[in-house]
Amino acid sequence: MVIEQDTTFQISEVAVSVEIETPDMTLNIGPQHPSTHGVLRLIAKVDGEKVTDVKPVIGYMHRGYEKLAEVRTYPQITSIVNRIDWVSGFANEIPFIVAAERLMGVEAPERAQWVRLVLSEMARISSHLIFMASYPLELGAATPLFFALRARERVLDLLESVTGGRFHPNFNRIGGIKPVYGSGPTTKKTSMDVPAGFLAETRDAMDKVLGTCREIEDLVAGNEIFLARTKGIGVLPVEVGADYGVSGPNLRASGTDFDLRKKADYLPYDQFDFDVAVGENGDCYDRWLVRLQEIREAVKIIQQAIDGLPSGPIQAKVPKVIKVPKGETYVRAENPKGEMGYHLISEGGSGPYRLKIRSASFSNISMLAWILEGAIIPDIIAIMGSLDFVLGDVDR
Amino acid sequence: MTPNPSDPQGEVEVEAEAEAETTEPDPLADFAASIAEAVGAASHSTEYETIKIFVEPDAWVDAVTKARDEFDLAFFSWLSAVDWANEVSVGDGPQEEVEERYEVMCALGDLTDGNLVIFSTSLDKEAPTIDSLVDVFQGAAWHERESHEMFGIDFSGNPDLSPLYLPDAFTGHPLRKSYPLLSREVKPWPGKVDVEDMPPSSQNPEA
């Protein structure tokens, strides 16, 4: 049977003669939605598929850490601050500890600073690997999750072997780091900080992480669907990012090479050779690529650090009861999510008079309304996922 | 360092820094001085490597705008406040008497040299009102909402000062020093007591 093409009807002749009216609809996303990484709620006004206005609602995770810090002593606060961004708990402690040390005029010994640096970079790797796992998943690709989480588990095992905690290490002390339990008092110069075999295992794990980066790149970077969902989507110019205080990989993907590891002196990064990953277009794809590159750079830093780890004490001499002299300082650090800073005001007591916590994710998502305006509904998920925020870091 | 808390370690530090300033040029102090002069600030400080510029509330928006346009401080880092009070219902109060006021701070950075400057102004406690920065930095909107609910400071010109973190029915301003922490009122903080010694173990016979 031959089907003859019906030539009496031409598509081109059909013209839409009526404007289809699409009344604005309100679309509620969250607070319980997998793509919001916790409890973020978006109230979106949509015109058909197009988003015309977005109102983010936060605060579901607010724990009042700035108030709680005022009733705690300095050593107790480290256990609070590593719950701010729980995906990279270790990195949250560093700027707070450095701020307290700066006011006290204490500096941690070199070895302690290097161990801090190694573990901070491990926190960066584990945080970025979570992103490598979750972001393709949100766009419909489940497989990268298994690659990423397998490598992350190795990094978390290393973190746990040193600090005793996978997520909340509570490892930094004012003037140094925690010695391994049972290794003797901290005043002894022989206190152990990293367990036996740590350096060899780290070398091994770092090779594995690099292998995982290759696997993820092979799997994701050339995937047509992934490219279509991310290339040219959610473009953020540097000027707008700076205007909102967007920092970290999200800002570097837009083309600036601003990295506090190069500009600030909270840890001895100036002794290491590493590059700052910079994107070009500021779209979702570049934000993904910059983080993948940052994992590789973090591996480079860790490899250099364990090759040249200096020996020596891990604790500077500090009073038994920590009292910080009157003064105020702001210390910021390049955390996996961006600029994390603490404005510490001391009035000479055993706890801070005021501790302002500047967290990266809060500023990073404050521009959600700007970036989502004009996007289409499926891009909401693609854009939000690419910003890599953690609600604990937003709400504090 | 001695464990004596009354030992003025901080002052020694500051004096040492002040001496260093007179002998050799300090880029941080020069930078701070140039900004302070340009925005007409009453005073400035570079203690503990933190640049603070003190401006009058009337000059708040102008100073921040000037810093953004003339000094390339286009990165809006944060905005917050401090409640300076002699009587506190939580934590330790100030050791010396302080002037009762709200201090509003805004930190701006650049994306080239890594400078960060904190602008500071003082508000009267009776009527804490200041012009909003939303027309200068869009990112200020959320930070001002946070300071509004936490300290009760009004930012005139901010179109949306609805609660950011707190529930709608919440009353009071939690980060004010007069605001008690209810869980501490009910039960004193057990962590105030210094930690006990580690239990003796085979690995750690000394403890």
Side-chain angles (χ1 to χ4, degrees):
Chain A
M1 187 183 159
V2 179
I3 300 172
E4 278 186 14
Q5 207 174 354
D6 184 4
T7 50
T8 57
F9 180 79
Q10 292 283 330
I11 291 275
S12 57
E13 286 173 16
V14 181
V16 179
S17 58
V18 255
E19 284 277 311
I20 299 170
E21 276 200 26
T22 50
D24 277 2
M25 196 183 90
T26 305
L27 177 69
N28 182 63
I29 305 170
Q32 307 291 345
H33 190 276
S35 76
T36 58
H37 297 233
V39 279
L40 170 73
R41 182 178 168 212
L42 293 181
I43 304 169
K45 280 220 164 47
V46 290
D47 176 10
E49 276 287 290
K50 209 171 160 196
V51 179
T52 53
D53 185 32
V54 171
K55 195 175 158 230
V57 181
I58 63 170
Y60 296 96
M61 192 64 83
H62 184 59
R63 294 151 293 175
Y65 282 168
E66 293 182 11
K67 185 79 171 178
L68 293 182
E70 288 173 12
V71 296
R72 277 170 171 72
T73 63
Y74 288 95
Q76 287 166 346
I77 290 171
T78 48
S79 68
I80 292 186
V81 295
N82 61 36
R83 279 156 177 80
I84 293 173
D85 170 10
W86 51 68
V87 181
S88 56
F90 187 87
N92 298 332
E93 296 177 14
I94 301 290
F96 170 73
I97 288 286
V98 174
E101 286 173 356
R102 192 181 281 177
L103 289 184
M104 291 177 73
V106 178
E107 196 170 346
E110 200 184 8
R111 183 177 173 89
Q113 297 212 13
W114 280 53
V115 173
R116 283 178 184 178
L117 187 144
V118 168
L119 298 181
S120 293
E121 290 305 312
M122 283 187 182
R124 188 181 317 278
I125 293 176
S126 81
S127 168
H128 283 356
L129 280 175
I130 279 279
F131 174 77
M132 290 296 146
S134 68
Y135 189 47
L137 187 69
E138 281 158 18
L139 300 179
T143 319
L145 177 128
F146 302 103
F147 289 97
L149 289 192
R150 196 182 52 194
R152 172 173 175 266
E153 208 54 39
R154 297 191 65 113
V155 177
L156 287 183
D157 281 349
L158 288 171
L159 264 171
E160 190 186 2
S161 72
V162 181
T163 66
R166 281 155 49 89
F167 286 91
H168 307 308
N170 198 13
F171 182 65
N172 288 285
R173 300 290 179 264
I174 287 173
I177 52 176
K178 189 174 94 175
V180 166
Y181 177 64
S183 68
T186 53
T187 45
K188 267 196 192 166
K189 290 214 163 135
T190 50
S191 288
M192 239 174 11
D193 44 11
V194 295
F198 174 76
L199 299 184
E201 275 169 38
T202 305
R203 269 190 204 100
D204 191 34
M206 289 304 120
D207 290 342
K208 291 280 191 320
V209 168
L210 284 182
T212 302
C213 286
R214 262 196 311 278
E215 283 170 340
I216 291 176
E217 193 167 24
D218 286 349
L219 205 55
V220 178
N223 184 299
E224 291 269 345
I225 302 171
F226 185 78
L227 294 180
R229 292 291 308 272
T230 56
K231 280 243 175 188
I233 305 294
V235 176
L236 175 75
V238 177
E239 297 73 36
V240 177
D243 204 32
Y244 279 98
V246 177
S247 54
N250 290 329
L251 194 62
R252 285 193 288 276
S254 303
T256 176
D257 66 345
F258 189 75
D259 190 321
L260 288 169
R261 288 177 291 175
K262 296 275 190 194
K263 307 286 182 193
D265 59 351
Y266 62 100
L267 282 178
Y269 279 106
D270 51 351
Q271 300 177 31
F272 293 87
D273 173 35
F274 67 101
D275 297 321
V276 177
V278 180
E280 284 172 11
N281 307 316
D283 56 7
C284 294
Y285 181 77
D286 278 13
R287 288 194 275 276
W288 175 82
L289 195 62
V290 161
R291 290 197 175 87
L292 186 69
Q293 203 53 38
E294 280 194 1
I295 297 179
R296 294 184 166 131
E297 296 299 326
V299 168
K300 239 162 90 180
I301 295 173
I302 292 175
Q303 284 171 338
Q304 291 170 42
I306 55 175
D307 284 343
L309 194 64
S311 55
I314 57 169
Q315 176 71 46
K317 220 167 173 324
V318 290
K320 258 205 171 131
V321 178
I322 301 273
K323 296 227 179 199
V324 173
K326 188 175 152 69
E328 63 178 278
T329 187
Y330 178 64
V331 175
R332 55 183 183 159
E334 188 68 42
N335 270 29
K337 305 276 187 294
E339 175 189 332
M340 171 110 202
Y342 296 90
H343 190 76
L344 175 61
I345 300 180
S346 173
E347 278 293 319
S350 57
Y353 182 77
R354 166 109 173 92
L355 181 70
K356 159 68 192 168
I357 303 169
R358 193 270 187 213
S359 60
S361 298
F362 177 77
S363 296
N364 287 355
I365 73 156
S366 71
M367 59 88 176
L368 266 182
W370 184 89
I371 201 168
L372 289 179
E373 198 189 322
I376 56 171
I377 292 173
D379 287 349
I380 295 180
I381 307 301
I383 293 170
M384 276 206 313
S386 75
L387 294 175
D388 188 28
F389 54 84
V390 159
L391 261 294
D393 200 31
V394 174
D395 289 348
R396 306 190 299 274
Chain B
M1 189 168 296
T2 67
N4 181 4
S6 63
D7 181 41
Q9 300 143 2
E11 286 171 31
V12 177
E13 280 281 316
V14 176
E15 276 168 21
E17 265 177 39
E19 275 172 19
E21 271 172 37
T22 51
T23 50
E24 56 188 274
D26 181 358
L28 199 69
D30 292 346
F31 183 65
S34 65
I35 295 178
E37 198 188 334
V39 302
S43 60
H44 66 276
S45 133
T46 56
E47 271 178 33
Y48 302 108
E49 301 168 46
T50 304
I51 301 177
K52 268 188 95 175
I53 311 277
F54 300 94
V55 296
E56 292 296 319
D58 299 339
W60 178 243
V61 177
D62 284 344
V64 171
T65 312
K66 225 171 206 172
R68 182 194 66 178
D69 296 338
E70 291 176 20
F71 290 90
D72 205 21
L73 296 168
F75 177 78
F76 179 82
S77 186
W78 52 271
L79 181 146
S80 192
V82 185
D83 178 6
W84 288 102
N86 290 308
E87 291 206 2
V88 298
S89 53
V90 288
D92 300 330
Q95 285 179 338
E96 296 156 24
E97 193 162 321
V98 293
E99 188 194 338
E100 297 266 342
R101 64 188 196 278
Y102 292 119
E103 183 183 2
V104 179
M105 283 190 270
C106 169
L108 306 178
D110 65 22
L111 293 177
T112 45
D113 305 326
N115 289 317
L116 188 118
V117 179
I118 298 174
F119 288 87
S120 160
T121 188
S122 293
L123 300 182
D124 184 24
K125 277 213 169 166
E126 297 304 313
T129 306
I130 192 165
D131 285 339
S132 166
L133 291 179
V134 282
D135 293 333
V136 192
F137 287 104
Q138 296 183 75
W142 277 23
H143 292 261
E144 287 180 353
R145 268 172 82 183
E146 188 193 355
S147 300
H148 176 72
E149 66 181 348
M150 293 297 172
F151 292 94
I153 296 169
D154 269 323
F155 294 88
S156 53
N158 190 321
D160 180 16
L161 284 175
S162 57
L164 186 67
Y165 288 133
L166 302 173
D168 290 339
F170 196 92
T171 52
H173 303 291
L175 279 180
R176 283 187 178 175
K177 286 285 178 184
S178 57
Y179 193 89
L181 196 60
L182 279 178
S183 49
R184 290 287 171 282
E185 304 286 307
V186 178
K187 190 167 179 266
W189 174 232
K192 270 284 180 201
V193 190
D194 210 356
V195 285
E196 294 167 27
D197 290 334
M198 283 278 208
S201 73
S202 56
Q203 286 172 306
N204 190 10
E206 289 172 33

